[in-house]
Amino acid sequence: MGISTLHQLQASGETLNQAQQAGLEHYEDLNQPVAKAEADAIGDVVQKVVLSVLPGALITLIGGFRRGKPTGHDVDFLITHPEEGREVGLLPKVASLLKSQGFILYQKTTRNSYLESDDGPARLSSNMDRFERCFSIFKLEMNPGTTRSGTPRSSSRTESQSDDHSPQTPGGVHENGLESRRRSWRAVRVDLVVSPISQFAFALLGWTGSKLFEREMRRWAGHEKAMSLSSHALYDTKQRRYLRAASEEEIFAHLGLEYIPPSERNA
């Protein structure tokens, strides 16, 4: 018979890589919504560490939270520096410091692999960008009296019974593979993305989303304007040149579109 539950996977003895082990260990937390207040708390920690490594760096909360959504499934930050090149190699230092301070449960960092060609952007093998990036599982301390979604904890006996009497394995893990709810912290998926300042506006647009909005923006650029838009650049295929932009507003202007604020990009 195959493996159909987390408990069966834990008991199977299957060999898992580090990412899979971390995902299994923190499965319950990672499948709970993250509240805006929790994202802000993580942002305070990230900003303090980033600025200690690279003074003058700029840190922006992106994704659904930038679009005004009250909750999300992960937390993404875009980092840059006003001086081009100062951001190179930042994330390994930041991740190391966060881990030494007890904030990182798991992390994997990738280098920036984007190359700008005079012949225009290469066709990528996937929709993923090529920024320096740190995928991490963050350890967030919770305030007393709050649930794992950042909302006030109910005092009802039903919830108390659920927390106290759920069947557990000897390791403190529920039979359905979920972690004990008694910890004073929760695990949150956090992505740190570093962009050169010259690409920041494009990265901000791309990482703000939504996915449907971004897909339509890129479709418009290609079909209506003969341009190629990515999270790195905007390239005019007729003029055979890159169109620079210091803000999202300038990107919209290049595309002949009226600016749409993040709160209206939730399509």
Side-chain angles (χ1 to χ4, degrees):
M1 295 180 63
I3 297 173
S4 59
T5 68
L6 290 177
H7 183 61
Q8 290 175 349
L9 178 59
Q10 288 174 317
S12 69
E14 289 284 332
T15 300
L16 305 177
N17 61 35
Q18 285 188 330
Q20 291 169 331
Q21 291 174 2
L24 178 61
E25 181 179 358
H26 303 293
Y27 179 84
E28 177 185 13
D29 282 357
L30 299 180
N31 278 274
Q32 294 296 316
V34 183
K36 177 60 162 56
E38 293 176 312
D40 289 338
I42 294 171
D44 290 341
V45 173
V46 170
Q47 177 166 299
K48 183 177 180 179
V49 170
V50 169
L51 292 178
S52 72
V53 176
L54 182 61
L58 306 173
I59 302 96
T60 304
L61 178 63
I62 47 179
F65 290 116
R66 185 168 183 255
R67 302 197 308 271
K69 300 190 75 172
T71 62
H73 289 291
D74 58 8
V75 185
D76 303 322
F77 295 98
L78 181 61
I79 305 168
T80 191
H81 191 278
E83 185 178 337
E84 185 90 3
R86 290 286 303 279
E87 79 290 340
V88 175
L90 173 65
L91 282 187
K93 300 174 184 177
V94 169
S96 177
L97 189 52
L98 285 170
K99 186 173 182 178
S100 71
Q101 295 179 0
F103 290 111
I104 294 292
L105 300 167
Y106 166 83
Q107 68 88 18
K108 180 178 181 180
T109 302
T110 58
R111 296 181 179 180
N112 188 328
S113 60
Y114 175 75
L115 295 175
E116 188 170 285
S117 169
D118 292 337
D119 297 326
R123 183 178 295 275
L124 301 180
S125 58
S126 72
N127 291 328
M128 295 292 291
D129 55 53
R130 297 293 185 264
F131 290 115
E132 182 178 359
R133 180 178 176 184
C134 177
F135 165 83
S136 72
I137 298 178
F138 198 92
K139 181 179 180 181
L140 174 65
E141 292 291 338
M142 296 188 299
N143 293 326
T146 60
T147 67
R148 293 187 181 279
S149 61
T151 57
R153 182 179 296 278
S154 168
S155 60
S156 68
R157 180 168 178 79
T158 300
E159 180 177 345
S160 175
Q161 289 176 333
S162 175
D163 284 350
D164 292 346
H165 301 293
S166 298
Q168 295 184 358
T169 65
V173 179
H174 295 289
E175 284 188 345
N176 60 0
L178 305 182
E179 296 180 349
S180 169
R181 297 175 181 270
R182 292 185 173 184
R183 288 190 275 98
S184 63
W185 56 270
R186 66 163 296 188
V188 178
R189 176 179 163 178
V190 176
D191 280 356
L192 306 178
V193 183
V194 172
S195 164
I197 191 64
S198 61
Q199 299 172 32
F200 178 75
F202 301 101
L204 184 62
L205 178 62
W207 275 85
T208 294
S210 65
K211 289 183 179 179
L212 177 59
F213 181 84
E214 290 305 312
R215 185 163 61 244
E216 287 303 302
M217 284 284 289
R218 296 179 187 194
R219 185 201 63 78
W220 171 270
H223 292 184
E224 305 297 332
K225 307 299 288 187
M227 297 179 185
S228 174
L229 174 65
S230 73
S231 293
H232 293 278
L234 178 63
Y235 184 77
D236 189 318
T237 59
K238 289 183 177 179
Q239 300 184 47
R240 299 181 64 83
R241 69 185 183 94
Y242 289 92
L243 303 179
R244 307 302 178 184
S247 66
E248 289 181 314
E249 288 85 348
E250 291 184 19
I251 300 173
F252 278 83
H254 282 316
L255 294 171
L257 296 172
E258 182 178 344
Y259 177 70
I260 299 175
S263 60
E264 297 179 17
R265 303 178 197 171
N266 283 309

